[in-house]
Amino acid sequence: MDSLFSVPLKSAKGIEGWWSEATYRNPPNPIIKVVIIEGPNVPWSNLKYIEASPDNEGLFDSEATYELIQINGKKGVLESHPLLGNTLALSLTPQTTITMETKGPKSYLLRFSQLLLQTIPEETD
């Protein structure tokens, strides 16, 4: 891992969360960028699930496709774009979202996400 940084998400009320970002490099494998956003007012915190079908267009780009997935018990959305690569967004907790992006194959991103999630402790009440 390199290029690790974390910045507060601020509003008029003060600090309301954190944006943390890291880049994972393991040559000759593709680079993976990981972003964790946490806080009570994070706009992505409530991922909305809709019916998936094989011909679903991407959430942000009509050339992309997406699928709803579950990894290590966490629900998420995997979006694949023919030029931009693959992005995985997972809801870790109601206030924490993690995204992972790579230009590498979907299988590489999914393997990486499973390993990374094993290193993140479960939130306890």
Side-chain angles (χ1 to χ4, degrees):
M1 173 179 50
D2 61 16
S3 304
L4 174 66
F5 73 90
S6 188
V7 295
L9 299 174
K10 298 178 183 179
S11 75
K13 296 177 185 177
I15 295 177
E16 294 200 36
W18 290 90
W19 173 293
S20 302
E21 187 174 307
T23 302
Y24 288 81
R25 298 176 197 275
N26 184 17
N29 295 312
I31 294 169
I32 295 182
K33 179 179 169 182
V34 176
V35 175
I36 297 177
I37 302 174
E38 52 190 330
N41 297 315
V42 173
W44 308 350
S45 63
N46 296 313
L47 290 173
K48 302 291 185 216
Y49 291 92
I50 59 175
E51 280 300 312
S53 70
D55 55 43
N56 278 344
E57 289 185 349
L59 299 174
F60 304 109
D61 186 330
S62 63
E63 291 185 35
T65 59
Y66 75 95
E67 57 189 291
L68 304 177
I69 62 170
Q70 194 166 16
I71 297 177
N72 294 18
K74 306 297 182 188
K75 292 180 179 180
V77 177
L78 175 64
E79 186 166 25
S80 299
H81 191 281
L83 298 175
L84 302 176
N86 296 291
T87 301
L88 175 61
L90 295 169
S91 178
L92 295 181
T93 72
Q95 296 185 14
T96 306
T97 299
I98 186 169
T99 64
M100 295 166 250
E101 302 173 14
T102 186
K103 291 195 180 219
K106 183 170 34 173
S107 60
Y108 174 64
L109 180 61
L110 292 174
R111 278 194 312 273
F112 174 86
S113 66
Q114 289 174 330
L115 293 172
L116 182 64
L117 288 178
Q118 290 174 1
T119 69
I120 299 174
E122 289 290 322
E123 184 174 280
T124 57
D125 295 325

